[in-house]
Every structure is written in structure tokens, then in C-alpha cells.
């Protein structure tokens, strides 16, 4: 189950932080590390700071875009020190987040995403996540070093796993399978396309679009419900004049 919990580091600048993050992961039993476009990797400093977690570093996957790191995940939580204005569901308490991650990870991959040392995650990257989390640190100075943020949240995951691992999964079969981020992404693009083609919104990334996407994120539709919504969008789309006639 812990092997289904992925740590994603976006465009890490200092390779030492990658090593320290790998060590933080391994101490908590996590092994799946994905690096999005790191500045320098593989790197001696990363290996040095990984210490006994060289296997995590050696097994790390490097991808170009965040989408490629999380497409197969059913819950993706972006870690941010500061709250942005994005209306995504937000975990104020990491233990609640950890419980949900462990629950989903019984059957599907999930991820926690960490940003760059200098400016964290961009709004576009956060938009690819299903949730956000902030570690409730000192309000006067609450920005943790990247690998320490990985440590704190990995520890929460381990605690939740120890606490809930023995719990029966009876009834889990009846819980509808959540969609992957890739499926949610297809739905969001479809929704945006129909809203634009119908003239409901006139420009991409409009606030309305963001608010509706947040509404669907809060509703946490199942895979089945999402495909129902896509069917509905397709049928609406078939009644719209084709682009060439507008
Ligand atoms: N200067 C950046 C923060 C960089 S810290 C900014 O202002 O956004 C590097 C990463 O560590 C962040 O992107 C975030 O993923 C994580 N992090 C640091 N402090 C955190 C906190 N209090 N809660 C959640 N994540 C945190």
C-alpha cells in the first residue's frame, strides 16, 4: 500500500534536496519518487545526502511535465506553504490528508506534489492537483525546507498507515472507483471546450471555468459519474454549430 504513495518533486534546484527527500521518504517506508524536470540529476550531492536511501534515488523516474508524473493517480495533493486563491479543496490538517491517501492507496496510486525551493508550485501546477495541503507551521515563518516538508507529510502518511492498516476493507468494494487525474483532465478540457463553443465563456482560463472545475473537484465524482458527464457534454456538443459556421 505504501508503494502506491508517490512523492513528486517539481523542478528541484538543489540536488541535495532530492537526496534528503529520498532519505525522508525511506525512513517512512515510501519508495516511489518522481522528479519533474530537475535542474541537476543524477548528481553526487543527491546521492551523498540520500545516505541509506540510494535505492530510492536510483529508482527515481524523471519526467518532463507534472501531468506525466500524476496521470495515473486518483488523488493528487499539492503541498504549499501559502494559500493561493485557487478554490481547490484544501486540507488544513495533514493527518486528515494522510488518512484519505492511505485509504485510496489500497487500490490505486496517489501522489503528494512539492514545489521549487524559490517559488513553490505555479497556479497551473496546482490546478492539476485534486487537493492542496499546508503544514500548519508558525504563522510568522512557516516555510519549511523542501525535504523537511517531505519528511513531515511522509511521517503523517506512515502514522495513518500504522493506525488504519489493520482496518477491514469490508465495504470498500462498494465505494465507487475514483477517476485518475488524466480522466479528470480530459473532462475539464471537454467542459471548457463546450463552455467556450456555446459562448458561455469567451476566453480560456476564465474565473467561471475555474469555479466550475472546483465545484466538480468538491463533488468527487466516481469514474462512472464522470463518464456520464462526458456523455452529456458530447450530446450538448453535437447540438452546437460546428466551429466553421460560427
Ligand atoms: N518559497 C516557496 C516555498 C518553497 S519551499 C513559496 O513561497 O512558495 C519548497 C516546497 O516545500 C513548497 O513548494 C512546498 O511544496 C513545500 N513546503 C514548504 N513549507 C510548507 C508548508 N508549510 N506546508 C506545505 N508545504 C510546504
Amino acid at each position: 500500500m505504501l508503494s502506491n504513495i508517490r512523492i513528486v518533486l517539481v523542478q528541484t534546484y538543489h540536488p541535495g534536496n532530492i537526496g534528503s527527500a529520498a532519505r525522508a521518504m525511506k525512513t517512512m517506508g515510501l519508495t516511489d519518487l518522481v522528479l519533474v524536470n530537475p535542474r541537476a540529476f543524477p548528481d553526487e550531492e543527491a546521492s551523498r545526502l540520500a545516505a541509506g536511501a540510494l535505492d530510492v534515488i536510483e529508482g527515481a523516474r524523471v519526467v518532463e511535465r507534472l501531468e506525466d508524473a500524476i496521470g495515473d493517480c486518483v488523488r493528487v495533493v499539492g503541498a504549499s506553504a501559502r494559500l493561493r486563491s485557487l478554490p481547490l479543496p484544501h486540507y488544513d490538517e495533514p493527518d486528515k490528508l494522510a488518512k484519505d491517501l492511505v485509504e485510496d492507496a489500497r487500490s490505486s496510486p496517489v501522489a503528494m506534489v512539492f514545489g521549487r525551493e524559490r517559488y513553490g508550485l505555479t497556479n497551473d501546477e496546482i490546478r492539476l492537483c485534486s487537493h492542496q495541503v499546508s503544514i500548519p507551521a508558525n504563522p510568522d515563518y512557516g516555510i519549511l525546507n523542501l525535504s523537511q516538508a517531505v519528511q513531515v507529510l511522509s511521517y503523517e502518511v506512515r502514522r495513518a498507515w500504522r493506525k488504519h492498516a489493520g482496518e477491514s476493507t469490508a465495504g470498500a468494494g462498494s465505494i465507487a472507483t475514483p477517476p485518475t487525474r488524466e480522466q479528470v483532465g480530459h473532462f475539464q478540457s471537454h467542459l471548457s471546450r463546450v463552455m467556450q463553443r456555446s459562448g458561455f465563456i469567451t476566453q480560456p482560463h476564465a474565473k467561471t471555468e475555474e469555479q466550475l472545475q472546483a465545484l466538480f473537484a468538491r463533488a468527487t465524482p466516481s469514474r462512472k459519474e464522470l463518464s456520464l458527464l462526458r456523455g452529456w457534454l458530447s450530446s450538448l456538443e453535437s447540438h452546437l454549430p460546428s466551429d466553421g459556421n460560427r
Side-chain angles (χ1 to χ4, degrees):
M1 178 205 287
L2 288 180
S3 61
N4 261 345
I5 302 181
R6 183 175 305 159
I7 298 291
V8 179
L9 305 182
V10 177
Q11 247 191 346
T12 308
Y13 190 85
H14 297 293
N17 276 334
I18 301 177
S20 303
R23 180 175 183 171
M25 287 170 62
K26 187 162 178 186
T27 55
M28 298 300 137
L30 303 184
T31 49
D32 187 9
L33 174 62
V34 179
L35 307 171
V36 180
N37 211 4
R39 183 179 62 86
F41 188 82
D43 181 274
E44 246 174 49
E45 184 74 351
S47 303
R48 196 172 66 79
L49 286 170
L54 263 186
D55 52 337
V56 175
I57 288 282
E58 282 165 5
R61 274 192 296 131
V62 176
V63 297
E64 272 291 310
R65 306 169 321 146
L66 179 56
E67 289 91 321
D68 304 326
I70 57 173
D72 59 335
C73 295
V74 298
R75 187 181 298 266
V76 174
V77 185
S80 280
R82 291 172 291 122
L83 260 195
R84 318 282 154 123
S85 52
L86 287 178
L88 264 192
H90 185 269
Y91 286 104
D92 297 321
E93 297 300 334
D95 58 343
K96 170 81 176 71
L97 150 77
K99 184 168 185 282
D100 289 352
L101 281 178
V102 163
E103 184 77 39
D104 285 342
R106 288 172 194 259
S107 53
S108 315
V110 296
M112 291 195 284
V113 180
F114 297 83
R116 303 156 185 83
E117 292 91 335
R118 279 189 57 201
Y119 58 95
L121 295 167
T122 64
N123 278 348
D124 280 344
E125 286 161 352
I126 293 180
R127 230 175 251 122
L128 295 172
C129 300
S130 58
H131 296 77
Q132 280 182 279
V133 65
S134 305
I135 298 164
N138 179 359
D140 293 334
Y141 182 54
I143 300 183
L144 282 75
N145 160 271
L146 169 61
S147 66
Q148 290 169 353
V150 172
Q151 183 78 74
V152 169
L153 292 182
S154 301
Y155 173 60
E156 290 288 352
V157 164
R158 185 165 188 86
R159 276 187 50 189
W161 173 72
R162 280 162 47 98
K163 213 161 139 192
H164 303 289
E167 283 175 10
S168 140
T169 52
S174 64
I175 298 171
T177 322
T180 65
R181 295 314 292 161
E182 190 178 22
Q183 290 165 334
V184 171
H186 288 322
F187 167 69
Q188 289 182 338
S189 328
H190 200 167
L191 179 65
S192 302
R193 194 168 71 230
V194 172
M195 286 197 296
Q196 275 179 60
R197 282 196 53 206
S198 64
F200 185 63
I201 56 173
T202 49
Q203 73 205 52
H205 296 304
K207 197 115 212 118
T208 316
E209 190 181 358
E210 217 162 66
Q211 281 170 343
L212 281 175
Q213 290 186 347
L215 166 72
F216 285 112
R218 280 203 311 279
T220 58
S222 68
R223 229 168 254 202
K224 241 183 168 166
E225 289 163 338
L226 206 67
S227 69
L228 200 69
L229 284 168
R230 287 208 61 187
W232 172 58
L233 287 174
S234 297
S235 107
L236 282 179
E237 216 172 14
S238 69
H239 290 91
L240 291 172
S242 72
D243 280 336
N245 299 341
R246 296 176 75 214

